[in-house]
Amino acid sequence: MASAPTPGSTGLSTEAGSMFEVVEEDVDGVRLRVFKNAPPSLRAIWQLSAIHGDAPYLVFDDEKYSYTEAHAIATAIACRLVDDLGVCKGDRVAIAMRNYPEWAFAFWAASSIGAVIVPLNAWWTGPELEYGLAHSGAVVLFADDERLDRIRPRLGETSVQTVIAVRTDAHEGELAFADFATPIPGATLPDVEVGPDDDATIMYTSGTTGRPKGAVGTNRNIGGHIMNATYAAMAAAAAAPAPSPGAAPPALITLLTFPLFHVGGLHSFLLPYTVGGGKIVLTYKWDAVQAVDLIEREGVTSVAGVPTTMFQVLDEAARQGRELPSIAGVASGATLVPPKLVKQIDAQLSGRAAPANGYGLTETSGAAIGNSGRDYLDRPTSVGRPISPVMEVRIAAPDGEAVPTGEVGEIWLRGPTVIRGYFENPDATAAAITDGWFHTGDAGSLDEEGFLYVADRIKDMVIRGGENIYAAEVEAALYEHPDVIEAAIVGVPDERYGEQVAAVVRRRDGSTLDVATLQEHVRERLAAFKVPTIVQFTETELPRNAAGKVLKRELRESLAKEA
């Protein structure tokens, strides 16, 4: 039946006394396999990172902060939150800003005193920010100028008591971050006990349908994710070809393309790189030309992003004739990854940069499934296998039972990283989590070796004349055309067939690609009923949310208006 087995042999021991010792514990009434040595809290993670001392930590433009400097700033903020503002363990502290260094300082300070961090989507409008603040009950808000301009007129409708203005002038009644974060000589973190099952974050889902839900992550979830990431990294290193004699391992230096309010930025990069003593290069906004410059200037060894971002950086490097010699790994995720990208990473970087992909959600605290290296090259359409021995995947039928291997069903995930539920929404929690299993809403299948293949979001499946058509399969075919930069498949209503397959495509500049040619290109690769009957070309980038996912509802509405 389609439940993935424990990942194959990695050479990493999970026996008693080992770093990755696995034990069973009762977590919120569910018996789960957990890593015995997982860090118990965000506070513990931050305290441990002090050992990295003067190593570079954060880079933003010409600003550079070492771990020692970051700790001094975060400690000062933590002390003032407690002593000046009276913030207590369990109080909600919101962050709404770009990927500034201040984002990380505020995060570590508030989490170290047991506050619950509420990372707000920096792309949200004023009403959306108001909703997140009011729904979460946040009492303190760290925000930059753009977010403050949107939310100031609405703060009276929220529970926020104190606003700390970042990189902008503080208005009357607000505090300036520069003053609030001034290091205090000899200060230490306030003495607060933070445990594994204490709440750590409330992260709002993308909200592509209806009101966003606040996914409540615990300190155990985050500690489990750190161990998963460490296990996966060490397993990948063990499986990689042996380095040349005397060669040093690649430094931990990343260019952060994901927003910090998303699990892709926070859980997959800020957290593990902080634990490992890595350097994180931040940018004001995404720019492929600047990205190539930063990769070379800072010696970036790892970069990750949504497929469009990774295509852009590779194409820009090729255009400039740069080989990016420092890069040792390129990863993509947050949405379905075209196999074409995997091939381009391997070919353009001459096989020296291992491609990787991760599959997870806000509700699983980031990646729960992973594919990398040789496995990914051999199976470019698979997102991989459980990232560690404590994660499980099931392909479920509508009644929750596992379907036979190879059949498509809903992907369910279980492990210590699955959130405890949705904030003040018991009905949504009960509908999404069964016996510790999180129902992803994604359709997929498992092969005989336990590799997971994601077909599509269940609700985005196109059903034409009773035939199920998975958008990801058609999108992958479209991406194989050299003139296609972006592509998305949606279903549009049709009186005869129920739905027709519609494609929205962005072509390369100067391309003369037409509808008939593109349809023939797909017809050569897929069954006739999967060929888009409607093709809309666009000159602009496809609309995406902050997590990089195409907003297919907007595409459907646009197509409906033109129908």
Side-chain angles (χ1 to χ4, degrees), residues 44-238:
I45 291 170
W46 182 237
Q47 288 177 312
L48 179 64
S49 72
I51 64 173
H52 303 308
D54 293 331
Y57 180 36
L58 300 172
V59 175
F60 179 76
D61 288 340
D62 294 329
E63 301 173 26
K64 297 179 185 291
Y65 299 89
S66 69
Y67 280 84
T68 296
E69 291 167 331
H71 272 267
I73 294 170
T75 296
I77 298 170
C79 289
R80 292 186 174 110
L81 285 171
V82 172
D83 298 336
D84 298 352
L85 303 184
V87 175
C88 299
K89 175 180 175 180
D91 285 344
R92 270 78 71 196
V93 172
I95 305 175
M97 67 178 89
R98 290 179 180 269
N99 279 9
Y100 289 133
E102 289 87 345
W103 205 108
F105 301 149
F107 174 84
W108 289 118
S111 61
S112 292
I113 60 172
V116 180
I117 311 300
V118 184
L120 295 177
N121 190 318
W123 292 10
W124 274 359
T125 62
E128 289 170 316
L129 290 169
E130 176 191 334
Y131 170 78
L133 291 169
H135 181 261
S136 66
V139 296
V140 175
L141 169 65
F142 291 85
D144 61 12
D145 55 346
E146 294 165 279
R147 267 42 64 178
L148 286 175
D149 286 346
R150 298 173 202 168
I151 191 58
R152 277 192 182 110
R154 300 172 176 275
L155 281 172
E157 304 302 317
T158 74
S159 52
V160 172
Q161 300 170 15
T162 305
V163 171
I164 300 168
V166 176
R167 295 185 183 245
T168 187
D169 293 334
H171 286 200
E172 183 178 354
E174 299 174 354
L175 300 175
F177 183 92
D179 297 331
F180 198 74
T182 301
I184 304 169
T188 58
L189 287 175
D191 188 14
V192 179
E193 184 177 343
V194 184
D197 294 315
D198 291 330
D199 291 346
T201 58
I202 300 176
M203 302 189 75
Y204 283 89
T205 58
S206 56
T208 51
T209 57
R211 285 285 200 180
K213 299 188 292 291
V216 181
T218 65
N219 282 274
R220 182 189 298 278
N221 294 155
I222 291 172
H225 175 78
I226 290 294
M227 290 298 286
N228 279 347
T230 305
Y231 182 95
M234 293 183 68

Side-chain angles (χ1 to χ4, degrees), residues 461-469 529:
M461 182 191 299
V462 180
I463 305 178
R464 180 185 183 276
E467 294 285 352
N468 294 340
I469 301 169
F529 70 86

Side-chain angles (χ1 to χ4, degrees), residues 35 86 117 132 195-196 241 271 314 347-348 447 452 481 543 550:
F35 285 117
I117 311 300
L271 294 176
L314 291 171
Q348 186 170 331
D447 67 16
L452 175 64
H481 194 287
V550 174

Side-chain angles (χ1 to χ4, degrees), residues 247-323:
L252 284 175
I253 306 173
T254 191
L255 173 66
L256 186 62
T257 71
F258 288 112
L260 284 167
F261 59 77
H262 180 256
V263 290
L266 177 58
H267 291 69
S268 297
F269 286 91
L270 181 65
L271 294 176
Y273 272 74
T274 300
V275 170
K279 179 170 74 172
I280 303 168
V281 182
L282 307 170
T283 62
Y284 180 77
K285 65 178 181 179
W286 171 251
D287 179 273
V289 175
Q290 181 194 36
V292 171
D293 289 339
L294 286 172
I295 288 170
E296 292 203 341
R297 188 189 86 180
E298 299 296 334
V300 169
T301 58
S302 175
V303 63
V306 297
T308 299
T309 299
M310 293 301 94
F311 275 128
Q312 287 176 352
V313 75
L314 291 171
D315 289 348
E316 181 60 30
R319 187 187 70 80
Q320 296 186 30
R322 300 197 191 184
E323 297 183 355

Side-chain angles (χ1 to χ4, degrees), residues 460-465 467-471 473-475 478 488-494 497-504 519 522 526-536 559:
D460 286 342
M461 182 191 299
V462 180
I463 305 178
R464 180 185 183 276
E467 294 285 352
N468 294 340
I469 301 169
Y470 294 109
E473 183 182 20
V474 186
E475 288 165 359
L478 290 168
I489 291 295
V490 297
V492 295
D494 182 84
Y497 292 101
E499 285 185 308
Q500 289 284 4
V501 182
V504 181
Q519 288 173 325
V522 177
L526 300 175
F529 70 86
K530 298 179 181 179
V531 175
T533 54
I534 302 168
V535 177
Q536 180 188 80
L559 288 163

